[in-house]
Amino acid sequence: MGLRKEFQEGAAWVRQHLDFDLNVEVSVFEVNIRFVGGLLAAYYLSGEQVFLAKAVDLGKRLLPAFNTPTGIPWAMVNLKTGVGRNWGWASGGCSVLAEIGTLHLEFEQLSHLTGNPIFSEKVRNIRDVLDRMTKPQGLYPNYVHPSTGNWGQQHVSMGGLGDSFYEYLLKSWLMSGKMDEQARRMYNEAIEAILKHLLRRTPGGLTFIGEWKNGFVERKMGHLACFAGGMLALGVDSTPEELTADGGQAGEASEPKNHLEMAAKIAHTCHESYDRAAVKLGPEIFRFDGAAEAVGTRHVEKYYILRPEVVETYFYLWRITKDPKYREWGWEAVQALERNCRVQGGYSGIRDVYSSVPSHDDVQQSFFLAETLKYLFLLFSDDSVLPLDQWVFSTEAHPLPVIPRIVNATKQEPSLVSS
């Protein structure tokens, strides 16, 4: 963005003060996507070795979390002692699908950059374990036990607890230069089952992805699940022609069947969740019960914490379709953020999107900078800024380069901005 002075100030702080040698318990998932991914992206974009060194140091400190009978990692690990455990609230001592499935991009990059295969081996084993397991109706439940390798509670979600597992299957294939065939196959199979069993259409014409609990579909969708529109579009845009039926164009064929159309419909539903709120920003969870469609009906679901998933989907659909409505919708979000979330110290979440007088929660989430603002910036940037054929965005929107392009590059690495 041209903010080089500010970046150098941040780099100096990282160099002088960022230290992971702490007797503290952290979330393996959160630390990986925010810290490891952020440091790797900073290294790739700047070339400054300090970011790589810090990422590798932290990656090594996360490795003890994988010391389980199956290799499925614990949710938490102590950065100094290496002691790991799972969340007390998780089903029967299980690990969470989204958490164990959202390590792949960063750990593959760590092995690529260091030449040490240990990081790659750990995450590929997770994928192999999940690949071998029997899936109920082809669906991946959100909980798996790290000791037995069995599924926990029969709950399937494209939102929280499940979301980025599916995203990383597709993006692992993309980051590998479309060579990771296992990842693409698992993505195709998983999305086919999701669309078959969880996709619903309301009387009002809205399409949404519900949540599956013990065979019953709950008619609600979380803000987190709104990323799915962008993921489905990205999966179609990058699909080889041989994967489409009858040589048809992506989005028209049965494999993946109408995914681009589904992506647009999900984007429309998520936009409606924003448009039906007083502040024009969407709730954490919105339901489709009776007359209420794409509306948060319970008090504890009406908050907005600066989440990025809706504008993330606008970004991908703009890049892929060039339909101007996605920039229009993005600008609506920009104006709503400025009008309702801007405070003296930055940007704050709000407690009730249906109140015309916002009540601020006094928190600016780190993903607001990493994701929400970045996707809005890119939505209005030229396609040559972080082109999608050269870069893959992690689930925290940290740009990581397609690995074969680096391995085979003889002249230059992927460019951030075209000349």
Side-chain angles (χ1 to χ4, degrees):
M1 296 175 70
L3 303 176
R4 296 181 184 276
K5 176 178 177 290
E6 292 83 353
F7 180 83
Q8 288 305 324
E9 290 175 355
W13 186 90
V14 168
R15 192 175 294 108
Q16 297 165 19
H17 301 294
L18 185 60
D19 182 13
F20 298 121
D21 188 23
L22 302 169
N23 185 22
V24 62
E25 191 176 54
V26 301
S27 161
V28 175
F29 163 73
E30 294 288 3
V31 162
N32 175 66
I33 66 173
R34 302 188 194 218
F35 285 65
V36 178
L39 289 165
L40 287 172
Y43 165 69
Y44 275 121
L45 296 179
S46 71
E48 296 196 28
Q49 289 291 325
V50 62
F51 297 114
L52 176 58
K54 297 289 186 183
V56 173
D57 174 40
L58 182 53
K60 290 179 179 178
R61 294 176 185 275
L62 297 180
L63 289 175
F66 294 82
N67 294 336
T68 67
T70 62
I72 297 286
W74 299 114
M76 292 175 286
V77 70
N78 186 296
L79 292 180
K80 184 178 285 287
T81 67
V83 175
R85 67 183 178 95
N86 270 345
W87 303 112
W89 52 261
S91 169
C94 284
S95 299
V96 175
L97 181 68
E99 296 192 345
I100 66 174
T102 313
L103 305 169
H104 207 100
L105 299 187
E106 295 83 358
F107 273 51
E108 287 284 6
Q109 290 282 357
L110 286 173
S111 280
H112 169 69
L113 290 166
T114 64
N116 185 345
I118 187 68
F119 303 102
S120 175
E121 290 169 356
K122 296 297 186 185
V123 292
R124 292 187 186 192
N125 174 67
I126 297 172
R127 170 114 44 83
D128 288 340
V129 170
L130 293 173
D131 196 15
R132 290 193 299 266
M133 293 173 70
T134 300
K135 291 86 181 173
Q137 300 184 58
L139 297 166
Y140 285 82
N142 289 338
Y143 299 102
V144 58
H145 204 286
S147 296
T148 65
N150 296 327
W151 299 117
Q153 180 183 351
Q154 297 289 287
H155 176 207
V156 177
S157 172
M158 187 61 85
L161 306 179
D163 50 10
S164 47
F165 162 70
Y166 306 99
E167 175 188 0
Y168 267 36
L169 289 176
L170 175 64
K171 290 181 175 179
S172 294
W173 176 71
L174 290 171
M175 197 179 75
S176 72
K178 304 180 181 179
M179 300 295 288
D180 187 346
E181 295 179 359
Q182 180 193 37
R184 180 73 209 208
R185 172 181 54 78
M186 290 174 67
Y187 171 79
N188 288 347
E189 293 170 352
I191 296 304
E192 180 181 356
I194 289 277
L195 296 182
K196 179 179 180 181
H197 297 292
L198 274 64
L199 195 71
R200 294 291 185 273
R201 183 177 174 85
T202 72
L206 297 180
T207 297
F208 70 97
I209 300 174
E211 297 195 6
W212 188 84
K213 292 185 178 180
N214 297 312
F216 174 76
V217 176
E218 193 172 3
R219 297 177 65 82
K220 72 174 186 178
M221 188 169 174
H223 194 293
L224 287 166
C226 284
F227 89 98
M231 178 185 69
L232 290 171
L234 184 63
V236 171
D237 186 58
S238 55
T239 301
E241 194 168 306
E242 61 267 23
L243 287 184
T244 62
D246 304 318
Q249 295 302 305
E252 300 172 352
S254 60
E255 193 59 55
K257 185 180 180 181
N258 300 322
H259 285 195
L260 191 58
E261 179 185 347
M262 291 299 105
K265 289 180 177 179
I266 290 167
H268 171 69
T269 298
C270 292
H271 176 258
E272 286 296 305
S273 78
Y274 275 45
D275 203 45
R276 298 179 186 192
V279 297
K280 302 303 179 184
L281 295 165
E284 180 72 1
I285 295 173
F286 44 98
R287 295 179 179 271
F288 305 86
D289 296 327
E293 293 192 359
V295 173
T297 58
R298 303 180 185 182
H299 181 69
V300 295
E301 301 171 347
K302 296 180 178 181
Y303 60 90
Y304 172 72
I305 55 173
L306 309 174
R307 287 205 186 276
E309 291 80 18
V310 173
V311 296
E312 174 185 355
T313 278
Y314 295 167
F315 160 69
Y316 281 111
L317 280 163
W318 162 255
R319 280 276 179 105
I320 291 163
T321 72
K322 292 299 184 289
D323 187 329
K325 73 181 178 187
Y326 297 114
R327 279 185 163 175
E328 294 167 6
W329 292 353
W331 190 243
E332 290 174 7
V334 169
Q335 293 176 306
L337 285 165
E338 287 296 314
R339 188 168 58 246
N340 298 289
C341 300
R342 189 76 165 94
V343 294
Q344 184 176 359
Y347 290 80
S348 170
I350 51 183
R351 294 188 174 94
D352 185 352
V353 298
Y354 301 103
S355 171
S356 57
V357 182
S359 171
H360 295 113
D361 65 12
D362 197 28
V363 177
Q364 179 176 289
Q365 303 284 343
S366 73
F367 52 67
F368 177 66
L369 299 174
E371 300 184 72
T372 310
L373 292 184
K374 186 182 293 158
Y375 283 128
L376 285 168
F377 176 76
L378 292 170
L379 175 61
F380 296 99
S381 299
D382 189 82
D383 287 5
S384 62
V385 182
L386 297 172
L388 295 180
D389 63 339
Q390 297 182 32
W391 297 88
V392 173
F393 291 95
S394 76
T395 196
E396 202 73 3
H398 297 306
L400 301 171
V402 174
I403 289 177
R405 192 171 178 84
I406 295 175
V407 172
N408 299 326
T410 56
K411 296 181 180 180
Q412 61 182 20
E413 291 192 349
S415 59
L416 174 59
V417 182
S418 69
S419 59

